[in-house]
Amino acid sequence: MPDPIFADPRLAPLYDVFDDDRSDLDLYRAVAREVGARRVLDVGCGTGTLALLLAGDGLDVVGVDPAGASLDVARAKPGADRVSWVHGDATTLPPLAVDLATMTGNVAQVFLADDDWSATLRGIRDALVPGGHLVLETRRPEARAWETWAAGDGGGARDVPGVGRVVEEFAVTEVALPLVSFRSVFRFPDGREVASSSTLRFRSLDGVRASLAAAGLDVVAVRDAPDRPGLEHVVLARRPPA
């Protein structure tokens, strides 16, 4: 089940406003060029920001997400007709043959159970052509990002087009490693409050490597995230050539 911030039709339109710095996506566009991708699968595409950028680069893009409200936002954006949008997840994909699959932001960490994570990786492997690549990012547990979150300002406020000033109150609610939970409450101009709770799993790099290998994917590179140096791993894996 996707978190309310993505699945609630009152909250999904807020996502791009509150998370408006997407310089992290430059990395994925660069990887697409690096591996010579022509067809891309964006797993957990959300409101479609990366999918639309890649389509604008001339690539054939499929965006898949289990949150229908986020896909509604994506489909309403300029250029959305250049992307194939799929309501579902990597385990329910139609037959595909893509050169590259992407998992941006926290997507790789929303799978809390080993079985769900393994099934997702197998679904991605099946969608890749032999020699095709998967690139994902995952936060380093040793960086203890949740401590920075907990010490932060607890939220913020944004002017949302068509809605008005929306205030977010944010708090880390539980740390039970490898799981970290947090909650946001969004207060709308009319006084309504809508909450969204989320949990992420912080996997070790060794654990990520092992799960990729078990799914039949070879790790070919581990890099630092250029937008969060020292805080995240960027993992590039490949389905072995036929």
Side-chain angles (χ1 to χ4, degrees), residues 35 38-39 96-100 124-134 216-218 237-242:
V35 302
R38 294 181 297 171
R39 295 158 294 179
L96 296 175
V98 300
D99 308 304
L100 175 67
I124 291 171
R125 180 194 181 279
D126 291 344
L128 291 171
V129 298
H133 290 80
L134 163 66
L217 295 164
D218 298 330
R238 184 177 67 163
R239 176 174 175 172

Side-chain angles (χ1 to χ4, degrees), residues 27-157:
L27 160 73
Y28 294 90
R29 298 172 77 183
V31 169
R33 294 190 295 270
E34 175 186 340
V35 302
R38 294 181 297 171
R39 295 158 294 179
V40 181
L41 169 65
D42 186 16
V43 178
C45 66
T47 56
T49 302
L50 176 61
L52 290 168
L53 287 171
L54 293 173
D57 291 338
L59 304 183
D60 183 4
V61 184
V62 176
V64 61
D65 202 285
S70 290
L71 289 178
D72 288 342
V73 173
R75 290 187 179 106
K77 291 182 176 180
D81 57 340
R82 293 181 292 182
V83 176
S84 297
W85 306 103
V86 177
H87 186 198
D89 57 44
T91 70
T92 60
L93 291 167
L96 296 175
V98 300
D99 308 304
L100 175 67
T102 61
M103 301 177 80
T104 68
N106 293 326
V107 172
Q109 293 184 244
V110 303
F111 303 97
L112 308 184
D114 289 335
D115 287 349
D116 292 339
W117 176 233
S118 297
T120 296
L121 293 178
R122 290 195 302 270
I124 291 171
R125 180 194 181 279
D126 291 344
L128 291 171
V129 298
H133 290 80
L134 163 66
V135 59
L136 62 87
E137 62 186 85
T138 184
R139 297 177 188 270
R140 302 184 186 190
E142 62 272 19
R144 304 181 68 84
W146 56 87
E147 294 179 352
T148 302
W149 300 343
D153 59 11

